[in-house]
Amino acid sequence: MLGIIESCVFLEIAMNRWINHLMFAAVVVVTSLVAIVAGLSTSRDAEISYLIECLKDPDDDVRAGARFQLMRRADSAYSNVIELLDGDNKHARREAVFFINACRAHCSDAVVPALIRLLDEDDGDLQRGVIEALASLGPGARAAVPRLRIILKDKREFAPDDISPISRRPFRFVPHALVRIQGKEALRVLLEQLHDPDVKVEVVDAL
């Protein structure tokens, strides 16, 4: 009996994996078809709009497929994707941040106000992604320094539900961000944290 149950569980896991792969593939196929139509009409608006809507889907694989396709079209999709930072869909906000981090060559200081607002969201993955995005902007993200210092001081630990393990303590990414943004100006704040076991390694790495 136990063997039958184990076989059923294995079969269910395998089926779920195949379904996820098929959903990812479906996004790619539909996008390709839309791209053909868009190409015939000399416009990519329909293609980009479809992919943007997919970023709002609750299914992780659908969003991953759409993000992959949008990254391939970063030149034309960037302005559309960053609009999601201020949208009301939590999945889309997270995906927009992931997109920015994957397409840093297209990132500009114009996204800083929206990224700062997202630092207050109750989402460890999102907060980590935002901190990394701000770090990649360097001095252009100076407006985020006060909020980043508060995050470093508070050292909030997120519950492990629905986030990756590395995102449970996003404050650990702040030292690197402060150095990238402020340079030597960040030294005083970081030296104050040097003896804190929660961030000592990250501070040393950042320095």
Side-chain angles (χ1 to χ4, degrees):
M1 185 66 179
L2 182 60
I4 295 175
I5 293 175
E6 290 177 346
S7 297
C8 290
V9 171
F10 177 81
L11 180 61
E12 181 179 1
I13 292 173
M15 289 179 65
N16 285 336
R17 287 179 177 174
W18 272 107
I19 290 172
N20 288 338
H21 288 314
L22 287 173
M23 293 182 75
F24 183 96
V27 172
V28 176
V29 171
V30 173
T31 301
S32 299
L33 292 174
V34 174
I36 294 174
V37 175
L40 293 175
S41 63
T42 66
S43 171
R44 304 188 77 177
D45 290 347
E47 176 188 357
I48 299 299
S49 296
Y50 169 74
L51 291 170
I52 291 293
E53 287 304 309
C54 287
L55 290 182
K56 303 175 184 179
D57 196 284
D59 187 273
D60 291 344
D61 292 285
V62 171
R63 297 198 309 275
R67 184 177 0 116
F68 172 74
Q69 293 296 323
L70 285 166
M71 285 165 55
R72 294 177 59 191
R73 301 157 174 78
D75 288 338
S76 55
Y78 184 80
S79 60
N80 299 84
V81 175
I82 62 173
E83 290 179 358
L84 298 173
L85 294 172
D86 285 318
D88 57 4
N89 185 286
K90 66 177 182 179
H91 298 302
R93 292 195 296 272
R94 182 188 287 189
E95 292 297 333
V97 172
F98 293 164
F99 175 89
I100 288 172
N101 280 324
C103 304
R104 293 179 178 178
H106 296 80
C107 199
S108 70
D109 300 351
V111 301
V112 171
L115 291 175
I116 293 174
R117 288 191 290 273
L118 291 178
L119 286 173
D120 293 325
E121 292 223 11
D122 190 23
D123 183 331
D125 279 325
L126 182 60
Q127 189 176 99
R128 175 178 63 85
V130 170
I131 293 171
E132 291 178 331
L134 291 167
S136 69
L137 288 168
R142 294 184 73 86
V145 169
R147 188 69 190 91
L148 290 174
R149 288 182 176 181
I150 291 174
I151 291 173
L152 181 61
K153 180 180 179 181
D154 291 346
K155 295 181 177 60
R156 178 184 177 184
E157 184 167 341
F158 287 82
D161 302 335
D162 196 32
I163 63 171
S164 57
I166 196 174
S167 297
R168 290 186 61 186
R169 312 176 89 183
F171 61 84
R172 288 184 166 181
F173 293 82
V174 172
H176 172 72
L178 289 177
V179 170
R180 290 289 303 274
I181 295 169
Q182 292 187 286
K184 293 181 179 180
E185 294 179 39
L187 292 180
R188 181 182 60 81
V189 172
L190 295 184
L191 288 175
E192 292 174 355
Q193 302 286 331
L194 192 56
H195 300 292
D196 189 324
D198 286 330
V199 292
K200 180 178 180 179
V201 173
E202 288 75 18
V203 169
V204 171
D205 287 343
L207 295 175

